[in-house]
Amino acid sequence: MELPISTMRYDITVPLLDGRVQVPGVELTPAATGAMVFNEVPALQSGDFGLWDLNLGYVLPAIEAGWEIVGLPLMVKRKPVYTFVFARADAGIETPKDLEGKRIGSGSFPTSITAWVAGLLQHRHGVDVSTFRWIVNNPRRVFPLHVETQVEAAEGDPPKPPIDRLMAGEVDAIITDISDGPAFAMLESSPEVKRVFPNYQEEDLALWRESHIHTPMHQMVMSRKLDREDPELARRVFDAFVEAKRIAYVDAVNDRAGFSVMYQRELVVEQEKLWGDPWVYGVKEDMGTLDTFLTYNVEQGLTSQRLSLEDWMASSTLDT
């Protein structure tokens, strides 16, 4: 069978996409898909797709809404999130709790980053995140919020990016994805702003050691229609992703990955000694992360009730 798959290029998935790893009985075909959900997505709603790389912030609301998707325990993209919290230097924000009642800029709401940061602020730092006044560039929301949340559209047509609004003093802090080096460099060098977590790397490692959570951003989801037709397909896909990740790690340690990073092999070995494998696949190894995210979703009103793992994941992958 032909199985469309999102054209992602994460290093841990490259061996699958370049053909070195096969899914038995399947020919993977590249498909252009979007990770964000700002409007109705007919293919996801009807299940007329194959594999889709989806922002984790939309997965559980879409499942609750009856979209024909089912999750695979493949969190293919992860980012430590403490690095994405910046504040105005003059906003009186000295501790995380000082974020209460402040104007928080973001690209959109909710996303995986806003859900993870809000949940961590609440549970690890005692912050009342219900007091946040979210000012977002893209206020369009397909799924309802089930708790009262202050979300406002940023002014301007088009509105300034969240970073520019922070620099201009239009928001007190930002919690948003930052995907380019120059933006980080500007934030880190400007006397107008500062990190709320200047020791963000220590916070990320502490979270990992306490809870075994390396915050996932994207999840691979599959058509629930296909899952009903072939209940073992999800497990075959899962096994292929596991093998691709294994080969990718070997590539990195062999120093053949092709990145322009000096001493990459040594850095990978050092990371493994410190973290083990933070790009965890499977349900059992990642249970703490999955359970926590289910809780955050219902607490923040992204879902109306706490979904179960059986609601979320393909049945053939529950024992992984």
Side-chain angles (χ1 to χ4, degrees):
M1 65 178 295
E2 286 192 1
L3 189 65
I5 184 172
S6 301
T7 52
M8 55 194 172
R9 296 296 293 181
Y10 311 126
D11 56 357
I12 56 175
T13 64
V14 164
L16 183 66
L17 301 180
D18 68 14
R20 284 183 287 166
V21 176
Q22 303 287 328
V23 180
V26 167
E27 179 184 350
L28 296 175
T29 59
T33 63
M36 309 297 279
V37 177
F38 298 134
N39 300 292
E40 304 286 334
V41 186
L44 290 176
Q45 291 171 284
S46 65
D48 293 315
F49 70 99
L51 299 170
W52 198 296
D53 176 20
L54 189 61
N55 184 288
L56 186 60
Y58 306 112
V59 173
L60 295 176
I63 288 174
E64 185 176 54
W67 289 24
E68 285 286 280
I69 70 175
V70 65
L72 305 182
L74 297 167
M75 304 300 177
V76 290
K77 181 179 182 179
R78 298 181 187 244
K79 289 184 181 182
V81 294
Y82 280 105
T83 188
F84 297 120
V85 190
F86 286 85
R88 291 277 309 174
D90 59 4
I93 299 173
E94 303 299 329
T95 70
K97 198 158 179 62
D98 295 328
L99 290 166
E100 292 179 353
K102 297 297 193 294
R103 300 166 299 169
I104 310 295
S106 192
S108 58
F109 181 92
T111 65
S112 53
I113 285 180
T114 64
W116 276 115
V117 173
L120 293 172
L121 287 172
Q122 176 182 338
H123 287 273
R124 295 190 79 232
H125 305 280
V127 178
D128 184 357
V129 297
S130 70
T131 66
F132 287 4
R133 180 183 164 196
W134 294 93
I135 314 295
V136 302
N137 281 44
N138 190 342
R140 290 179 294 170
R141 193 166 57 245
V142 174
F143 308 109
L145 289 174
H146 301 282
V147 299
E148 187 173 345
T149 307
Q150 301 178 73
V151 183
E152 305 170 22
E155 295 181 356
D157 186 20
K160 300 175 187 174
I163 294 173
D164 292 346
R165 287 189 277 124
L166 180 68
M167 299 294 289
E170 296 173 13
V171 293
D172 304 302
I174 56 171
I175 298 173
T176 193
D177 192 14
I178 302 170
S179 298
D180 62 289
F184 270 123
M186 180 178 67
L187 289 168
E188 291 168 331
S189 63
S190 172
E192 303 293 327
V193 300
K194 63 182 181 181
R195 288 186 179 274
V196 175
F197 295 95
N199 59 337
Y200 61 95
Q201 295 185 35
E202 295 174 14
E203 290 284 357
D204 293 324
L205 183 56
L207 174 63
W208 175 254
R209 287 174 168 168
E210 292 166 10
S211 308
H212 210 60
I213 292 175
H214 177 205
T215 45
M217 299 291 104
H218 291 193
Q219 179 180 19
M220 188 60 56
V221 300
M222 191 175 83
S223 163
R224 194 176 288 274
K225 183 188 299 185
L226 286 178
D227 189 47
R228 287 194 296 268
E229 294 171 357
D230 184 353
E232 295 304 315
L233 175 60
R235 183 57 179 263
R236 299 202 305 275
V237 169
F238 173 84
D239 290 342
F241 271 79
V242 170
E243 177 62 8
K245 179 158 71 84
R246 185 194 68 79
I247 292 174
Y249 283 172
V250 172
D251 285 348
V253 174
N254 286 348
D255 217 9
R256 295 175 183 168
F259 295 117
S260 56
V261 177
M262 294 179 63
Y263 305 114
Q264 175 184 275
R265 184 185 66 81
E266 288 79 3
L267 291 171
V268 170
V269 171
E270 180 182 348
Q271 174 181 289
E272 184 177 6
K273 289 179 180 177
L274 191 63
W275 288 76
D277 181 11
W279 272 264
V280 178
Y281 285 165
V283 171
K284 295 175 184 176
E285 287 290 317
D286 214 19
M287 184 61 77
T289 301
L290 304 179
D291 186 66
T292 298
F293 198 67
L294 286 166
T295 299
Y296 287 0
N297 266 254
V298 69
E299 286 181 346
Q300 297 174 32
L302 309 186
T303 57
S304 65
Q305 59 186 327
R306 195 181 195 279
L307 302 185
S308 68
L309 280 175
E310 289 76 14
D311 295 324
W312 187 359
M313 299 292 181
S315 59
S316 65
T317 66
L318 289 173
D319 64 346
T320 57

